[in-house]
Amino acid sequence: IARAEAAIAAATGSHPHGVRGPGFSSSPAVLEVLRRRGDRYDCSTFPTFLGPLARAFYFLKSDLSREEKERRKKLFGGVTEGLRPIDPYLWQLEGGSLLEIPVTTLPGARVPFHLSYVLYLASFSRRLALAYFDGALRACRAAGTSPSVLLHPLDFLSGEDIGALSFFPGMGMCTAEKLACVEACLDLLAGRFEVRSMEEHAASLGPDLPLRKAA
């Protein structure tokens, strides 16, 4: 975690105060480390029932060895992740608490709508993909949920840029087409919500959020 923070600070000129675990992975021990290090929030939870399907797709398309797959067997979480809250809450830890800002999924259905999934849909139909994203934003507004939209590096790259990761969903789109779709999604987001950084969003949340025991 310390090395990752140092690398991000060196690349961006800004020290991060939050963490998203690879493949939405976390643990009570990691959360306690973040709290002790003074991080303001974690955003590793992915409240969807589709985590095991995402993991199976990743394993099917990648060339990971059996040992590597075993080490990654908890990536994307299990079915019970879908029972976790969509809205922010506080992890109750041994030494205090830590803010959790989940990756927002569709209220009620708990299906993902961050850009990696939208871009996968766009590889079949851009109109359908944008309608799905816009519908998800409308559902969030109706439910009173402020969406935390995950942006992944591969949302801005294609197989033309990095062939080794061409097996990821949506990487078959050309770079220009993908960037145009991302821009359209961000325009939809900005048209329905005030867009803030994660730092700003975390700072705007009060201390009276629900408590959830880390286990």
Side-chain angles (χ1 to χ4, degrees):
I1 291 171
R3 290 197 300 270
E5 290 180 350
I8 292 169
T12 66
S14 178
H15 187 84
H17 296 100
V19 168
R20 173 169 287 123
F24 311 102
S25 58
S26 188
S27 70
V30 168
L31 294 171
E32 181 61 32
V33 167
L34 298 181
R35 188 200 64 79
R36 290 204 310 264
R37 289 180 55 80
D39 282 282
R40 296 173 188 166
Y41 61 91
D42 176 72
C43 47
S44 302
T45 57
F46 187 34
T48 181
F49 300 106
L50 301 183
L53 290 177
R55 182 172 57 250
F57 181 88
Y58 172 51
F59 285 173
L60 178 66
K61 295 294 184 178
S62 68
D63 58 356
L64 296 173
S65 68
R66 180 177 298 178
E67 291 75 16
E68 289 171 325
K69 290 179 179 178
E70 177 63 23
R71 287 199 297 270
R72 292 165 170 80
K73 65 183 180 180
K74 293 186 178 181
L75 289 182
F76 306 107
V79 174
T80 55
E81 298 294 320
L83 301 176
R84 288 186 174 182
I86 292 178
D87 295 306
Y89 54 93
L90 297 173
W91 283 121
Q92 184 178 353
L93 306 170
E94 289 186 6
S97 61
L98 180 70
L99 174 63
E100 179 67 34
I101 305 177
V103 176
T104 309
T105 53
L106 188 67
R110 300 298 183 98
V111 292
F113 66 89
H114 57 269
L115 294 192
S116 296
Y117 286 81
V118 173
L119 289 167
Y120 177 68
L121 280 178
S123 65
F124 300 98
S125 169
R126 177 176 170 175
R127 179 177 296 180
L128 174 63
L130 294 179
Y132 175 66
F133 186 72
D134 189 42
L137 295 179
R138 290 173 182 268
C140 286
R141 179 167 288 280
T145 294
S146 298
S148 172
V149 179
L150 166 62
L151 301 177
H152 193 277
L154 295 185
D155 297 337
F156 304 90
L157 300 167
S158 72
E160 300 170 349
D161 303 302
I162 181 165
L165 296 178
S166 60
F167 64 88
F168 274 91
M171 291 295 280
M173 299 173 65
C174 70
T175 304
E177 184 182 3
K178 178 177 273 192
L179 292 178
C181 188
V182 169
E183 183 176 9
C185 287
L186 296 181
D187 284 343
L188 287 170
L189 177 64
R192 299 201 177 278
F193 292 91
E194 177 187 350
V195 179
R196 298 176 174 180
S197 68
M198 292 296 292
E199 288 275 350
E200 293 169 329
H201 185 43
S204 73
L205 298 170
D208 55 344
L209 294 172
L211 275 172
R212 185 178 180 89
K213 187 174 179 59

